[in-house]
Amino acid sequence: MKVAEIIQSADWKAEKHVPVLDAPDSVKAGEKFTVQAMVGKEIAHPNTTEHHIRWIRIYFKPDGGKFAYDVAFAEFSAHGEAVEGPNKGPVYTEPSLQAALKLSTSGTLLAVSYCNIHGLWEFAKPIKVEA
Ligand code: FE2
């Protein structure tokens, strides 16, 4: 068994769990840009005490490189928990992560998300770096 065997992927327009990455198709080397990873971009994922997205992590894998680099992580901690009971709480964290990056080489941005009952999901987006 490998982790890759249990990470699911699907068309993000039809599947609510996919952590869609919004980033430019190309950037200038060393220039700051924003990347956002979001679950539920097209179809909202539930956000309840019983069923929610716990976290999203972003990696970068440079073209020609062997290893992934860990880029950003966000944990979504509030899902309506309260002393009054499930879904009675005053706050829900929505599954959206934004980070500012600078790259020196082209590669692929990868996002992995975790739903507390539907497991791991992934998304990939190539990004080109111009000198
Ligand atoms: Fe789910």
Side-chain angles (χ1 to χ4, degrees):
M1 165 70 59
K2 294 190 172 209
V3 173
E5 295 171 35
I6 54 168
I7 299 185
Q8 303 170 87
S9 56
D11 175 8
W12 64 272
K13 287 185 176 164
E15 169 51 60
K16 62 180 180 275
H17 286 91
V18 177
V20 178
L21 284 163
D22 269 332
D25 293 330
S26 70
V27 293
K28 287 204 166 83
E31 198 169 273
K32 192 163 70 174
F33 66 95
T34 299
V35 56
Q36 183 184 32
M38 181 197 299
V39 171
K41 185 179 163 107
E42 186 78 12
I43 309 167
H45 183 276
N47 190 356
T48 65
T49 305
E50 299 85 0
H51 184 195
H52 51 260
I53 302 301
R54 287 271 171 85
W55 52 257
I56 300 175
R57 189 177 285 277
I58 301 174
Y59 300 99
F60 177 69
K61 212 285 272 173
D63 286 350
K66 183 176 177 185
F67 303 110
Y69 293 85
D70 189 15
V71 168
F73 174 77
E75 188 170 22
F76 312 115
S77 304
H79 305 284
E81 303 86 344
V83 70
E84 293 82 8
N87 305 304
K88 303 276 197 240
V91 59
Y92 294 79
T93 321
E94 288 294 311
S96 173
L97 157 61
Q98 189 169 298
L101 307 184
K102 294 191 281 187
L103 294 174
S104 61
T105 182
S106 299
T108 305
L109 291 164
L110 298 133
V112 179
S113 60
Y114 176 70
C115 167
N116 70 319
I117 58 178
H118 297 115
L120 296 164
W121 294 79
E122 68 181 338
F123 184 87
K125 182 188 192 311
I127 185 162
K128 191 170 170 52
V129 172
E130 328 237 338

